[in-house]
Amino acid sequence: MEDEDWDIFNQVIFDLLKSTTIDLNIHLESITLIKQKSYEDTNTVEVDVLLRAQYRPPPEKKFSTIAENTFNLQKDTVRANLKKVGAEAKRYYFTTEVKEIGVVSKENATNRPTLSPTDSPTLKPTNVPSLVPSPSPSALPTSSPSDEPSSIPSREHVQEIITATTNEIKNIDDTSHGFLVNMRTKDDSPVLLINGLEFYTETTETVGFEVWSKLGSFEGFEGTYDGWDIVATGMVKGAGYGRYTPIPPELFTPVSIPGGGGTKGTRAFYLTLNSKDLVIKLGKSQSNSGATDNRVMASSPDLEIYNGKAVLSYPFPNPAETWFYHSPRVFLGVVTYDRLPCKPFSLYGPVDELPCGDVPTMKPTLKPTIFVEEEKEVEVEDETIANPAPTLKPTPKPTQLVVQTSPPSTSFPPTISIFPTKSIAPSTTPTASPVASIKVRIIVTLHNTPDILMNQEEQGMFIDTLVQFLNEQSGKAMVVNGIDVESEEMVVVTASPASTQTVITPSTPAVATNVSSTINTTNTTSTSTEVARNTLGQRRLREVPGVRLIVILKVISTTLPHNLLGDMAVVAAEENQIDLVERFVRVGLDYPYFEKIDRVASFSADVPGVQSGASSTSKKSIESEVDTYVRGTDDASSGKVIC
């Protein structure tokens, strides 16, 4: 391309990317030509350009992927615009028959193959690292860091799948109440953790939403909540025309999809709104019969999203009423997931299911270890009598007994790990600093305590009891080695139902659902402190004193993501409430402060993704280098994880 042709190309590409990035709060600054090269054998022109843009994190944005997807999803529009602008400028470089045009980011680009193979392989590796990283981490970590850093980092752990660009969704107006869709891992993919979801609605009013999920396909489970788990529910303000509406992270419970693909690696999702404002897209089926789950509509190197069904009623209509289910349809939104939720354990081999396993043991010994107790030599005055009977008179010398040793014990055979590591000798000196603990804040309320705060000794017993309880209930998932009390205050709480005669009749029938714990940091008052009011002549519940403590758990080992540790502790306390109360009552035998406790309420006080005292982030400048080619021939990412 000559300079005038490059100006046309630059203008068209810049306008296209700017219309997309502005909706993502990314400011596109410039497009710079690095080099261009022509390949006469295929009548192809390859152009390297550098894109510069600014945005304000968090979250981190993969600008190269955004640019690549925006261009390739609208390549027909790009080709038409190049031809139109070129004709207006009377430059005919792009007005000829252009067969193909596409973009690939630098990190995904590979070098063009040589015209013929080299005579022989090189004798030693090249001096510089490869331009493109391997598609996945190596099975084992290297023994030492590399001499030089890689020029391009490996793929981020948190990935996103965008099913349609913001320009595409502006031309769609088909709406429904809900949508059923299957997501499936690829055959070579490990377990994935879905931790975010965005959908498209053109309304800017507040809408109610629910997200249900189950392992396996949704086929045969329409219209019934049996087997489904609710992973998100609440109210959210619609982002409006041309923008995706994210579900608040604190209202979304992460769910895992097993690795390996197929039926085992399939998870279904049902997203529904309380109004008919969910915008979806007409889809295609391989057989053109309206069948679903047979065509991939969006994908990444790890995950595939299939065609699904639109649901035209709320909340979940009877599948016999077929007019409420339209298929095939395409989900419009963004799916965020963690491709390595078991880091760093995944470095030792693929992990197909949660929870994460343990780190493999050291290299096994060749034979079982045999422990032999050392025998001590003793002198016996009369070897024929080992243990003589007592004499009537003292003997002139003391009698020495034979010490009989136990037979040697044999340990169990050692386990053999898949990827054994080298044994490391213990250090002769202590480490320079102790292992840093993960601090997790939760709020604990003890019901039916004396109307005074705990003294120092009672507070110590509270800490010891809670630490022992959490370690026994959590196992290896979370190891707590201490608790700091941040604050303590007296509160008035509702008496436990076991200690009152009041019978509460609910005003609405109870609905039993399989609901996972979620983080809700907006409530400033625990539900345990709410007092039932006099309704329909019912008597007021009895109030008793309690003490509320904000405590910080010091976790030294865990197999869970750090943002789930607070909810892990809360779930352990709620599901084992009787055991926890009995422990405090037993402590009350020596410390009367705890003898009448009848409930221990708790909830997580940590807000995911927020660090206290963090300063506002400044704008981050990003650069992304991409390869483009123009071809003119036919040769062209408060609750618990649901596993």
Side-chain angles (χ1 to χ4, degrees):
M1 289 187 292
E2 297 180 359
D3 291 342
E4 292 84 356
D5 300 320
W6 161 249
D7 291 339
I8 295 172
F9 184 79
N10 190 354
Q11 175 187 342
V12 172
I13 300 303
F14 187 91
D15 292 343
L16 171 72
L17 292 177
K18 186 175 181 180
S19 64
T20 298
T21 56
I22 193 172
D23 293 333
L24 301 175
N25 296 322
I26 298 176
H27 175 64
L28 181 63
E29 293 183 334
S30 65
I31 302 179
T32 305
L33 174 64
I34 298 178
K35 66 178 180 179
Q36 58 177 320
K37 186 175 182 180
S38 177
Y39 298 91
E40 296 181 357
D41 57 328
T42 58
N43 196 17
T44 301
V45 175
E46 188 174 274
V47 183
D48 287 355
V49 299
L50 182 67
L51 309 178
R52 287 189 174 89
Q54 285 190 350
Y55 75 101
R56 187 184 300 278
E60 295 290 334
K61 298 182 185 295
K62 199 65 174 293
F63 184 49
S64 59
T65 302
I66 294 173
E68 179 181 340
N69 292 340
T70 300
F71 192 101
N72 291 331
L73 289 171
Q74 302 180 71
K75 59 177 64 177
D76 293 337
T77 302
V78 173
R79 189 166 49 187
N81 289 344
L82 287 172
K83 186 174 182 179
K84 177 182 177 181
V85 177
E88 292 174 350
K90 296 184 179 181
R91 299 292 302 180
Y92 303 105
Y93 187 87
F94 301 106
T95 58
T96 58
E97 189 65 24
V98 177
K99 297 293 185 181
E100 180 67 23
I101 185 170
V103 167
V104 60
S105 61
K106 194 68 176 179
E107 63 180 3
N108 294 327
T110 57
N111 296 328
R112 295 178 61 86
T114 57
L115 297 178
S116 59
T118 56
D119 295 333
S120 59
T122 57
L123 297 177
K124 60 181 180 179
T126 56
N127 295 326
V128 296
S130 59
L131 294 178
V132 181
S134 58
S136 61
S138 57
L140 290 174
T142 56
S143 57
S144 60
S146 55
D147 295 332
E148 298 181 21
S150 58
S151 58
I152 301 177
S154 58
R155 283 198 304 138
E156 297 177 358
H157 290 169
V158 177
Q159 297 284 306
E160 285 185 349
I161 297 181
I162 304 175
T163 61
T165 65
T166 52
N167 282 340
E168 287 182 313
I169 62 179
K170 292 178 181 179
N171 301 320
I172 301 173
D173 56 6
D174 194 6
T175 61
S176 68
H177 272 279
F179 195 84
L180 285 161
V181 63
N182 287 336
M183 301 184 191
R184 185 170 292 115
T185 55
K186 292 192 174 181
D187 294 343
D188 58 349
S189 171
V191 61
L192 306 178
L193 189 67
I194 307 297
N195 51 25
L197 195 65
E198 300 179 24
F199 59 89
Y200 182 44
T201 178
E202 294 184 350
T203 182
T204 56
E205 302 295 328
T206 300
V207 295
F209 65 88
E210 296 175 16
V211 180
W212 298 77
S213 183
K214 66 176 292 294
L215 283 175
S217 173
F218 66 78
E219 296 286 354
F221 290 87
E222 302 94 328
T224 175
Y225 289 106
D226 292 341
W228 293 86
D229 297 307
I230 189 166
V231 298
T233 181
M235 307 291 291
V236 67
K237 183 177 176 62
Y241 178 71
R243 297 172 180 268
Y244 285 120
T245 299
I247 293 176
E250 65 270 17
L251 300 181
F252 191 91
T253 301
V255 292
S256 65
I257 305 181
T263 303
K264 177 184 176 183
T266 300
R267 178 174 279 277
F269 289 86
Y270 175 44
L271 166 66
T272 181
L273 306 182
N274 61 357
S275 58
K276 193 180 178 183
D277 290 315
L278 182 66
V279 181
I280 48 95
K281 179 182 177 182
L282 296 177
K284 295 181 180 180
S285 176
Q286 288 183 344
S287 58
N288 295 322
S289 62
T292 59
D293 196 29
N294 61 4
R295 190 183 183 101
V296 178
M297 308 312 299
S299 66
S300 71
D302 317 291
L303 184 65
E304 296 174 334
I305 302 176
Y306 284 76
N307 51 4
K309 289 184 180 180
V311 182
L312 304 185
S313 181
Y314 175 82
F316 213 175
N318 189 334
E321 300 171 334
T322 55
W323 52 87
F324 285 130
Y325 293 87
H326 288 185
S327 62
R329 295 293 187 270
V330 178
F331 171 68
L332 298 178
V334 181
V335 178
T336 305
Y337 66 92
D338 190 337
R339 67 184 184 90
L340 292 174
C342 287
K343 49 188 177 292
F345 306 109
S346 51
L347 295 177
Y348 295 90
V351 179
D352 287 339
E353 293 182 352
L354 293 183
C356 306
D358 297 329
V359 178
T361 59
M362 294 295 183
K363 186 175 181 180
T365 55
L366 298 178
K367 295 182 180 181
T369 304
I370 300 178
F371 174 77
V372 179
E373 185 177 345
E374 183 180 358
E375 296 185 2
K376 296 181 180 179
E377 296 182 0
V378 296
E379 296 180 359
V380 181
E381 185 176 1
D382 187 356
E383 295 182 353
T384 61
I385 303 176
N387 295 313
T391 59
L392 296 177
K393 295 181 179 180
T395 57
K397 295 181 181 181
T399 304
Q400 293 180 335
L401 302 180
V402 175
V403 178
Q404 297 180 346
T405 60
S406 302
S409 58
T410 303
S411 62
F412 290 104
T415 57
I416 300 177
S417 59
I418 299 176
F419 300 102
T421 56
K422 296 181 179 180
S423 299
I424 302 174
S427 59
T428 56
T429 58
T431 55
S433 60
V435 177
S437 60
I438 305 166
K439 295 185 178 180
V440 180
R441 181 183 288 103
I442 65 172
I443 298 177
V444 179
T445 304
L446 303 179
H447 288 220
N448 206 14
T449 64
D451 197 8
I452 57 173
L453 297 177
M454 288 184 279
N455 59 33
Q456 185 174 0
E457 191 172 4
E458 291 164 343
Q459 198 175 96
M461 290 306 300
F462 163 81
I463 292 174
D464 293 343
T465 303
L466 189 56
V467 168
Q468 184 180 14
F469 167 83
L470 290 176
N471 286 333
E472 290 181 6
Q473 297 298 336
S474 303
K476 295 181 180 180
M478 181 176 70
V479 179
V480 181
N481 77 331
I483 293 178
D484 291 334
V485 177
E486 188 173 271
S487 67
E488 180 184 6
E489 63 177 341
M490 295 301 304
V491 293
V492 177
V493 296
T494 303
S496 171
S499 59
T500 181
Q501 299 301 318
T502 302
V503 177
I504 301 300
T505 303
S507 58
T508 57
V511 180
T513 58
N514 186 3
V515 181
S516 302
S517 301
T518 58
I519 304 172
N520 188 354
T521 59
T522 60
N523 291 336
T524 57
T525 305
S526 172
T527 56
S528 62
T529 63
E530 295 177 358
V531 179
R533 303 298 179 185
N534 292 322
T535 57
L536 302 178
Q538 294 173 337
R539 184 159 53 89
R540 190 182 187 88
L541 287 176
R542 183 167 62 89
E543 297 175 347
V544 296
V547 60
R548 176 184 297 155
L549 304 98
I550 300 179
V551 300
I552 299 177
L553 310 181
K554 293 186 286 188
V555 180
I556 60 172
S557 174
T558 181
T559 61
L560 295 175
H562 295 178
N563 63 326
L564 299 180
L565 295 178
D567 292 297
M568 174 71 182
V570 171
V571 170
E574 291 298 326
E575 292 184 351
N576 302 277
Q577 182 68 202
I578 296 177
D579 179 27
L580 181 56
V581 170
E582 288 179 350
R583 289 172 184 256
F584 279 113
V585 172
R586 286 196 297 270
V587 173
L589 297 176
D590 297 319
Y591 296 87
Y593 188 92
F594 306 98
E595 63 182 354
K596 294 183 180 180
I597 288 178
D598 53 16
R599 173 156 174 73
V600 181
S602 61
F603 64 89
S604 175
D606 281 327
V607 181
V610 177
Q611 296 179 352
S612 60
S615 60
S616 59
T617 57
S618 59
K619 283 189 175 181
K620 179 178 179 181
S621 178
I622 52 177
E623 297 184 355
S624 179
E625 190 172 346
V626 299
D627 288 336
T628 66
Y629 61 90
V630 182
R631 180 167 294 167
T633 68
D634 293 330
D635 297 334
S637 241
S638 106
K640 63 181 180 181
V641 177
I642 301 177
C643 303

